[in-house]
Amino acid sequence: MTSASYIFLAGASRGVGREIATYLTAQSLKVKALLRTEASAAELEAIGIQVVLGDALNVGDVERAILTEPIHAVISTLGGLPTDAQRPDYFGNKNLIDAALKAGAKKFILVSSIGTGNSAVAVPPQVLQTLGPVLAEKDKAEQYLIASGLTYTIIRPGGLKSDPATGNGILSEDPRIIGTINRADVAQLVCRCLNSDRANNKVLSAVDRNMLFGQSELPEFNLD
């Protein structure tokens, strides 16, 4: 990564995306964030992030944000709710992936969810029934990224909590694992994957080793 290039972050206004923004700027990295509204712009600018207003569902907005300056990597935590009329889970991420290709980004990290794709086996049927439409969109985004030719890492967190980081967040290639994890720990794992070649072209579940549901043995993925 050069001193002139940015980490581009979509989803920085809340949740895991906000935690990632904090970790990246703490490492003195140059970060550019796409925000749909100005609501959290001042807070992000205060920690040194360059904010670009735009909607990930609008191709023009995404290209204007990504193609104007060198981008080293793109991180997306975009996600919608079952009640949303238009969810960005697929189309928003598709626009980001297409623009990342045009920009020559070296890596794309997509934060998805346990329950997506082959990790559906880890989730209770009632959860799959409730979140089915959202998980289907996330699966389409994962598949589009995998087929894009970009170097990627897909991280599927379990149930998300807002407590401070425990430092016990781990990644696993086993799609059967399920548990919870704090958003701050997901952010730490995402930031570690940025600099880990071992994470390239991997699909990884993320949980807290002390918040597993039922498993006694957990095959942990080593980023180092």
PDB file of all heavy atoms in Angstrom, residues 189-213:
ATOM      1  N   LEU A 189     -10.660  -8.368  13.323  1.00  0.00           N
ATOM      2  CA  LEU A 189     -10.374  -9.465  12.393  1.00  0.00           C
ATOM      3  C   LEU A 189     -10.335  -8.969  10.950  1.00  0.00           C
ATOM      4  O   LEU A 189      -9.471  -9.368  10.165  1.00  0.00           O
ATOM      5  CB  LEU A 189     -11.421 -10.576  12.551  1.00  0.00           C
ATOM      6  CG  LEU A 189     -11.397 -11.334  13.877  1.00  0.00           C
ATOM      7  CD1 LEU A 189     -12.619 -12.234  14.001  1.00  0.00           C
ATOM      8  CD2 LEU A 189     -10.113 -12.149  14.021  1.00  0.00           C
ATOM      9  N   VAL A 190     -11.269  -8.090  10.594  1.00  0.00           N
ATOM     10  CA  VAL A 190     -11.291  -7.520   9.246  1.00  0.00           C
ATOM     11  C   VAL A 190      -9.985  -6.781   8.969  1.00  0.00           C
ATOM     12  O   VAL A 190      -9.360  -6.949   7.913  1.00  0.00           O
ATOM     13  CB  VAL A 190     -12.493  -6.566   9.072  1.00  0.00           C
ATOM     14  CG1 VAL A 190     -12.353  -5.735   7.796  1.00  0.00           C
ATOM     15  CG2 VAL A 190     -13.803  -7.355   9.044  1.00  0.00           C
ATOM     16  N   CYS A 191      -9.540  -5.974   9.918  1.00  0.00           N
ATOM     17  CA  CYS A 191      -8.320  -5.183   9.732  1.00  0.00           C
ATOM     18  C   CYS A 191      -7.087  -6.075   9.654  1.00  0.00           C
ATOM     19  O   CYS A 191      -6.151  -5.785   8.910  1.00  0.00           O
ATOM     20  CB  CYS A 191      -8.193  -4.149  10.830  1.00  0.00           C
ATOM     21  SG  CYS A 191      -9.501  -2.902  10.777  1.00  0.00           S
ATOM     22  N   ARG A 192      -7.086  -7.173  10.386  1.00  0.00           N
ATOM     23  CA  ARG A 192      -5.970  -8.130  10.279  1.00  0.00           C
ATOM     24  C   ARG A 192      -5.965  -8.817   8.914  1.00  0.00           C
ATOM     25  O   ARG A 192      -4.903  -9.072   8.344  1.00  0.00           O
ATOM     26  CB  ARG A 192      -6.059  -9.171  11.396  1.00  0.00           C
ATOM     27  CG  ARG A 192      -5.709  -8.635  12.782  1.00  0.00           C
ATOM     28  CD  ARG A 192      -5.800  -9.733  13.822  1.00  0.00           C
ATOM     29  NE  ARG A 192      -4.852 -10.810  13.537  1.00  0.00           N
ATOM     30  CZ  ARG A 192      -4.961 -12.046  14.014  1.00  0.00           C
ATOM     31  NH1 ARG A 192      -5.990 -12.368  14.791  1.00  0.00           N
ATOM     32  NH2 ARG A 192      -4.059 -12.963  13.716  1.00  0.00           N
ATOM     33  N   CYS A 193      -7.141  -9.093   8.379  1.00  0.00           N
ATOM     34  CA  CYS A 193      -7.230  -9.743   7.065  1.00  0.00           C
ATOM     35  C   CYS A 193      -6.706  -8.844   5.942  1.00  0.00           C
ATOM     36  O   CYS A 193      -6.238  -9.343   4.911  1.00  0.00           O
ATOM     37  CB  CYS A 193      -8.672 -10.146   6.770  1.00  0.00           C
ATOM     38  SG  CYS A 193      -9.236 -11.600   7.688  1.00  0.00           S
ATOM     39  N   LEU A 194      -6.789  -7.540   6.139  1.00  0.00           N
ATOM     40  CA  LEU A 194      -6.262  -6.615   5.135  1.00  0.00           C
ATOM     41  C   LEU A 194      -4.803  -6.908   4.828  1.00  0.00           C
ATOM     42  O   LEU A 194      -4.370  -6.805   3.680  1.00  0.00           O
ATOM     43  CB  LEU A 194      -6.351  -5.176   5.664  1.00  0.00           C
ATOM     44  CG  LEU A 194      -7.480  -4.277   5.226  1.00  0.00           C
ATOM     45  CD1 LEU A 194      -7.290  -2.904   5.833  1.00  0.00           C
ATOM     46  CD2 LEU A 194      -7.602  -4.186   3.703  1.00  0.00           C
ATOM     47  N   ASN A 195      -4.039  -7.258   5.841  1.00  0.00           N
ATOM     48  CA  ASN A 195      -2.595  -7.437   5.705  1.00  0.00           C
ATOM     49  C   ASN A 195      -2.168  -8.898   5.720  1.00  0.00           C
ATOM     50  O   ASN A 195      -0.987  -9.194   5.863  1.00  0.00           O
ATOM     51  CB  ASN A 195      -1.872  -6.686   6.829  1.00  0.00           C
ATOM     52  CG  ASN A 195      -2.191  -5.204   6.820  1.00  0.00           C
ATOM     53  OD1 ASN A 195      -2.109  -4.572   5.781  1.00  0.00           O
ATOM     54  ND2 ASN A 195      -2.571  -4.663   7.968  1.00  0.00           N
ATOM     55  N   SER A 196      -3.121  -9.805   5.576  1.00  0.00           N
ATOM     56  CA  SER A 196      -2.799 -11.233   5.625  1.00  0.00           C
ATOM     57  C   SER A 196      -3.017 -11.876   4.263  1.00  0.00           C
ATOM     58  O   SER A 196      -4.147 -11.970   3.783  1.00  0.00           O
ATOM     59  CB  SER A 196      -3.674 -11.934   6.670  1.00  0.00           C
ATOM     60  OG  SER A 196      -3.527 -13.340   6.578  1.00  0.00           O
ATOM     61  N   ASP A 197      -1.932 -12.340   3.651  1.00  0.00           N
ATOM     62  CA  ASP A 197      -2.067 -13.066   2.384  1.00  0.00           C
ATOM     63  C   ASP A 197      -2.763 -14.407   2.590  1.00  0.00           C
ATOM     64  O   ASP A 197      -3.372 -14.948   1.663  1.00  0.00           O
ATOM     65  CB  ASP A 197      -0.694 -13.288   1.746  1.00  0.00           C
ATOM     66  CG  ASP A 197      -0.091 -12.003   1.207  1.00  0.00           C
ATOM     67  OD1 ASP A 197      -0.852 -11.034   0.982  1.00  0.00           O
ATOM     68  OD2 ASP A 197       1.146 -11.955   1.015  1.00  0.00           O
ATOM     69  N   ARG A 198      -2.668 -14.953   3.790  1.00  0.00           N
ATOM     70  CA  ARG A 198      -3.325 -16.247   4.072  1.00  0.00           C
ATOM     71  C   ARG A 198      -4.841 -16.133   3.970  1.00  0.00           C
ATOM     72  O   ARG A 198      -5.536 -17.113   3.711  1.00  0.00           O
ATOM     73  CB  ARG A 198      -2.946 -16.767   5.463  1.00  0.00           C
ATOM     74  CG  ARG A 198      -1.486 -17.132   5.601  1.00  0.00           C
ATOM     75  CD  ARG A 198      -1.260 -18.162   6.702  1.00  0.00           C
ATOM     76  NE  ARG A 198      -1.711 -19.482   6.285  1.00  0.00           N
ATOM     77  CZ  ARG A 198      -2.572 -20.231   6.974  1.00  0.00           C
ATOM     78  NH1 ARG A 198      -3.087 -19.778   8.103  1.00  0.00           N
ATOM     79  NH2 ARG A 198      -2.924 -21.415   6.536  1.00  0.00           N
ATOM     80  N   ALA A 199      -5.356 -14.902   4.183  1.00  0.00           N
ATOM     81  CA  ALA A 199      -6.804 -14.697   4.117  1.00  0.00           C
ATOM     82  C   ALA A 199      -7.304 -14.505   2.683  1.00  0.00           C
ATOM     83  O   ALA A 199      -8.512 -14.448   2.460  1.00  0.00           O
ATOM     84  CB  ALA A 199      -7.197 -13.483   4.954  1.00  0.00           C
ATOM     85  N   ASN A 200      -6.371 -14.411   1.737  1.00  0.00           N
ATOM     86  CA  ASN A 200      -6.784 -14.157   0.356  1.00  0.00           C
ATOM     87  C   ASN A 200      -7.639 -15.297  -0.185  1.00  0.00           C
ATOM     88  O   ASN A 200      -7.298 -16.479  -0.052  1.00  0.00           O
ATOM     89  CB  ASN A 200      -5.559 -13.978  -0.547  1.00  0.00           C
ATOM     90  CG  ASN A 200      -4.830 -12.675  -0.279  1.00  0.00           C
ATOM     91  OD1 ASN A 200      -5.316 -11.826   0.467  1.00  0.00           O
ATOM     92  ND2 ASN A 200      -3.660 -12.515  -0.886  1.00  0.00           N
ATOM     93  N   ASN A 201      -8.753 -14.921  -0.796  1.00  0.00           N
ATOM     94  CA  ASN A 201      -9.664 -15.859  -1.455  1.00  0.00           C
ATOM     95  C   ASN A 201     -10.185 -16.939  -0.503  1.00  0.00           C
ATOM     96  O   ASN A 201     -10.328 -18.103  -0.873  1.00  0.00           O
ATOM     97  CB  ASN A 201      -8.997 -16.477  -2.691  1.00  0.00           C
ATOM     98  CG  ASN A 201      -8.524 -15.408  -3.668  1.00  0.00           C
ATOM     99  OD1 ASN A 201      -9.183 -14.384  -3.838  1.00  0.00           O
ATOM    100  ND2 ASN A 201      -7.384 -15.620  -4.290  1.00  0.00           N
ATOM    101  N   LYS A 202     -10.488 -16.489   0.722  1.00  0.00           N
ATOM    102  CA  LYS A 202     -11.046 -17.379   1.733  1.00  0.00           C
ATOM    103  C   LYS A 202     -12.433 -16.889   2.159  1.00  0.00           C
ATOM    104  O   LYS A 202     -12.708 -15.690   2.179  1.00  0.00           O
ATOM    105  CB  LYS A 202     -10.149 -17.414   2.981  1.00  0.00           C
ATOM    106  CG  LYS A 202      -8.765 -18.024   2.753  1.00  0.00           C
ATOM    107  CD  LYS A 202      -8.848 -19.520   2.535  1.00  0.00           C
ATOM    108  CE  LYS A 202      -7.461 -20.138   2.456  1.00  0.00           C
ATOM    109  NZ  LYS A 202      -7.535 -21.611   2.200  1.00  0.00           N
ATOM    110  N   VAL A 203     -13.276 -17.850   2.544  1.00  0.00           N
ATOM    111  CA  VAL A 203     -14.572 -17.564   3.161  1.00  0.00           C
ATOM    112  C   VAL A 203     -14.489 -18.065   4.591  1.00  0.00           C
ATOM    113  O   VAL A 203     -14.287 -19.259   4.826  1.00  0.00           O
ATOM    114  CB  VAL A 203     -15.724 -18.251   2.406  1.00  0.00           C
ATOM    115  CG1 VAL A 203     -17.069 -17.913   3.063  1.00  0.00           C
ATOM    116  CG2 VAL A 203     -15.740 -17.853   0.932  1.00  0.00           C
ATOM    117  N   LEU A 204     -14.617 -17.150   5.550  1.00  0.00           N
ATOM    118  CA  LEU A 204     -14.326 -17.460   6.947  1.00  0.00           C
ATOM    119  C   LEU A 204     -15.471 -17.044   7.855  1.00  0.00           C
ATOM    120  O   LEU A 204     -15.998 -15.942   7.740  1.00  0.00           O
ATOM    121  CB  LEU A 204     -13.052 -16.729   7.378  1.00  0.00           C
ATOM    122  CG  LEU A 204     -11.785 -17.033   6.556  1.00  0.00           C
ATOM    123  CD1 LEU A 204     -10.708 -15.994   6.823  1.00  0.00           C
ATOM    124  CD2 LEU A 204     -11.275 -18.434   6.858  1.00  0.00           C
ATOM    125  N   SER A 205     -15.844 -17.929   8.770  1.00  0.00           N
ATOM    126  CA  SER A 205     -16.811 -17.578   9.804  1.00  0.00           C
ATOM    127  C   SER A 205     -16.085 -16.923  10.972  1.00  0.00           C
ATOM    128  O   SER A 205     -14.933 -17.258  11.258  1.00  0.00           O
ATOM    129  CB  SER A 205     -17.553 -18.821  10.293  1.00  0.00           C
ATOM    130  OG  SER A 205     -18.351 -19.364   9.259  1.00  0.00           O
ATOM    131  N   ALA A 206     -16.759 -15.967  11.629  1.00  0.00           N
ATOM    132  CA  ALA A 206     -16.149 -15.234  12.744  1.00  0.00           C
ATOM    133  C   ALA A 206     -17.030 -15.357  13.982  1.00  0.00           C
ATOM    134  O   ALA A 206     -18.216 -15.014  13.948  1.00  0.00           O
ATOM    135  CB  ALA A 206     -15.968 -13.761  12.380  1.00  0.00           C
ATOM    136  N   VAL A 207     -16.431 -15.851  15.065  1.00  0.00           N
ATOM    137  CA  VAL A 207     -17.136 -15.976  16.343  1.00  0.00           C
ATOM    138  C   VAL A 207     -16.152 -15.658  17.468  1.00  0.00           C
ATOM    139  O   VAL A 207     -14.943 -15.591  17.254  1.00  0.00           O
ATOM    140  CB  VAL A 207     -17.712 -17.399  16.558  1.00  0.00           C
ATOM    141  CG1 VAL A 207     -18.849 -17.691  15.591  1.00  0.00           C
ATOM    142  CG2 VAL A 207     -16.618 -18.452  16.432  1.00  0.00           C
ATOM    143  N   ASP A 208     -16.669 -15.480  18.663  1.00  0.00           N
ATOM    144  CA  ASP A 208     -15.835 -15.354  19.854  1.00  0.00           C
ATOM    145  C   ASP A 208     -15.634 -16.754  20.419  1.00  0.00           C
ATOM    146  O   ASP A 208     -16.600 -17.500  20.603  1.00  0.00           O
ATOM    147  CB  ASP A 208     -16.518 -14.451  20.883  1.00  0.00           C
ATOM    148  CG  ASP A 208     -15.622 -14.101  22.053  1.00  0.00           C
ATOM    149  OD1 ASP A 208     -15.205 -15.021  22.783  1.00  0.00           O
ATOM    150  OD2 ASP A 208     -15.356 -12.893  22.250  1.00  0.00           O
ATOM    151  N   ARG A 209     -14.375 -17.120  20.678  1.00  0.00           N
ATOM    152  CA  ARG A 209     -14.102 -18.493  21.138  1.00  0.00           C
ATOM    153  C   ARG A 209     -14.807 -18.815  22.455  1.00  0.00           C
ATOM    154  O   ARG A 209     -15.007 -19.995  22.784  1.00  0.00           O
ATOM    155  CB  ARG A 209     -12.596 -18.743  21.283  1.00  0.00           C
ATOM    156  CG  ARG A 209     -11.890 -17.888  22.284  1.00  0.00           C
ATOM    157  CD  ARG A 209     -10.503 -18.475  22.622  1.00  0.00           C
ATOM    158  NE  ARG A 209      -9.679 -18.661  21.449  1.00  0.00           N
ATOM    159  CZ  ARG A 209      -8.857 -17.735  20.933  1.00  0.00           C
ATOM    160  NH1 ARG A 209      -8.797 -16.531  21.492  1.00  0.00           N
ATOM    161  NH2 ARG A 209      -8.122 -18.000  19.889  1.00  0.00           N
ATOM    162  N   ASN A 210     -15.204 -17.780  23.197  1.00  0.00           N
ATOM    163  CA  ASN A 210     -15.902 -18.012  24.464  1.00  0.00           C
ATOM    164  C   ASN A 210     -17.415 -17.839  24.345  1.00  0.00           C
ATOM    165  O   ASN A 210     -18.118 -17.837  25.354  1.00  0.00           O
ATOM    166  CB  ASN A 210     -15.360 -17.062  25.534  1.00  0.00           C
ATOM    167  CG  ASN A 210     -13.900 -17.323  25.861  1.00  0.00           C
ATOM    168  OD1 ASN A 210     -13.444 -18.464  25.790  1.00  0.00           O
ATOM    169  ND2 ASN A 210     -13.158 -16.275  26.196  1.00  0.00           N
ATOM    170  N   MET A 211     -17.906 -17.657  23.121  1.00  0.00           N
ATOM    171  CA  MET A 211     -19.354 -17.470  22.923  1.00  0.00           C
ATOM    172  C   MET A 211     -19.889 -18.432  21.866  1.00  0.00           C
ATOM    173  O   MET A 211     -20.791 -18.106  21.095  1.00  0.00           O
ATOM    174  CB  MET A 211     -19.654 -16.029  22.491  1.00  0.00           C
ATOM    175  CG  MET A 211     -19.185 -14.948  23.443  1.00  0.00           C
ATOM    176  SD  MET A 211     -19.644 -13.300  22.842  1.00  0.00           S
ATOM    177  CE  MET A 211     -18.566 -12.236  23.807  1.00  0.00           C
ATOM    178  N   LEU A 212     -19.334 -19.633  21.826  1.00  0.00           N
ATOM    179  CA  LEU A 212     -19.785 -20.640  20.870  1.00  0.00           C
ATOM    180  C   LEU A 212     -21.087 -21.272  21.331  1.00  0.00           C
ATOM    181  O   LEU A 212     -21.353 -21.366  22.526  1.00  0.00           O
ATOM    182  CB  LEU A 212     -18.722 -21.725  20.714  1.00  0.00           C
ATOM    183  CG  LEU A 212     -17.424 -21.323  20.016  1.00  0.00           C
ATOM    184  CD1 LEU A 212     -16.390 -22.427  20.183  1.00  0.00           C
ATOM    185  CD2 LEU A 212     -17.679 -21.053  18.547  1.00  0.00           C
ATOM    186  N   PHE A 213     -21.877 -21.729  20.370  1.00  0.00           N
ATOM    187  CA  PHE A 213     -23.110 -22.452  20.679  1.00  0.00           C
ATOM    188  C   PHE A 213     -22.861 -23.940  20.444  1.00  0.00           C
ATOM    189  O   PHE A 213     -22.915 -24.414  19.312  1.00  0.00           O
ATOM    190  CB  PHE A 213     -24.262 -21.992  19.789  1.00  0.00           C
ATOM    191  CG  PHE A 213     -24.632 -20.542  19.942  1.00  0.00           C
ATOM    192  CD1 PHE A 213     -25.347 -19.897  18.940  1.00  0.00           C
ATOM    193  CD2 PHE A 213     -24.283 -19.817  21.069  1.00  0.00           C
ATOM    194  CE1 PHE A 213     -25.701 -18.562  19.071  1.00  0.00           C
ATOM    195  CE2 PHE A 213     -24.619 -18.486  21.209  1.00  0.00           C
ATOM    196  CZ  PHE A 213     -25.334 -17.855  20.200  1.00  0.00           C
TER     197      PHE A 213
END
